[in-house]
């Protein structure tokens, strides 16, 4: 199942590497990633895919010191036609 997350993380390259490692270790496939710097934070928008429950990922990301906010966004429904 696909999930879209918005994450606020400290503007440090090691912080990005760390949270991407958590995504991989929790068994989620990264489908899309957008990174934008604002003040002292990166605003990260990413889409992940896995059959595992999303709370396994969001709870682990929230525990990282560098991560300031994790927000699960509803996925946009694609029109069939």
């Amino acid at each position: 199942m696909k999930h879209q997350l918005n994450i606020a993380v400290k503007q440090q390259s090691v912080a990005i590497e760390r949270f991407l490692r958590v995504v991989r270790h929790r068994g989620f496939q990264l489908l899309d990633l957008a990174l934008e710097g604002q003040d002292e934070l990166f605003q990260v928008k990413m889409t992940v895919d896995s059959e595992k429950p999303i709370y396994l990922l969001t709870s682990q990301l929230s525990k990282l010191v560098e991560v300031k906010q994790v927000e699960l966004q509803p996925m946009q429904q694609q029109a069939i036609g």
Side-chain angles (χ1 to χ4, degrees):
M1 180 175 288
K2 293 180 183 179
H3 299 282
Q4 187 173 353
L5 299 167
N6 289 344
I7 302 165
V9 62
K10 284 185 182 178
Q11 205 170 37
Q12 302 170 342
S13 59
V14 69
I16 300 299
E17 293 172 15
R18 190 170 290 134
F19 94 78
L20 288 174
R21 189 177 325 124
V22 169
V23 172
R24 186 181 75 236
H25 284 199
R26 293 291 170 231
F28 287 79
Q29 180 183 5
L30 184 63
L31 301 176
D32 189 41
L33 179 73
L35 186 76
E36 183 179 310
Q38 292 181 347
D39 300 321
E40 296 180 6
L41 295 175
F42 281 128
Q43 297 298 323
V44 181
K45 292 182 181 183
M46 69 179 190
T47 304
V48 294
D49 189 21
S50 181
E51 293 302 316
K52 296 180 179 184
I54 191 63
Y55 76 86
L56 294 175
L57 178 59
T58 57
S59 65
Q60 288 301 308
L61 290 174
S62 297
K63 292 177 186 178
L64 295 175
V65 173
E66 297 89 355
V67 173
K68 299 302 177 192
Q69 180 182 3
V70 177
E71 188 176 286
L72 182 61
Q73 296 292 310
M75 287 295 295
Q76 304 270 337
Q77 295 295 324
Q78 294 182 351
I80 300 174

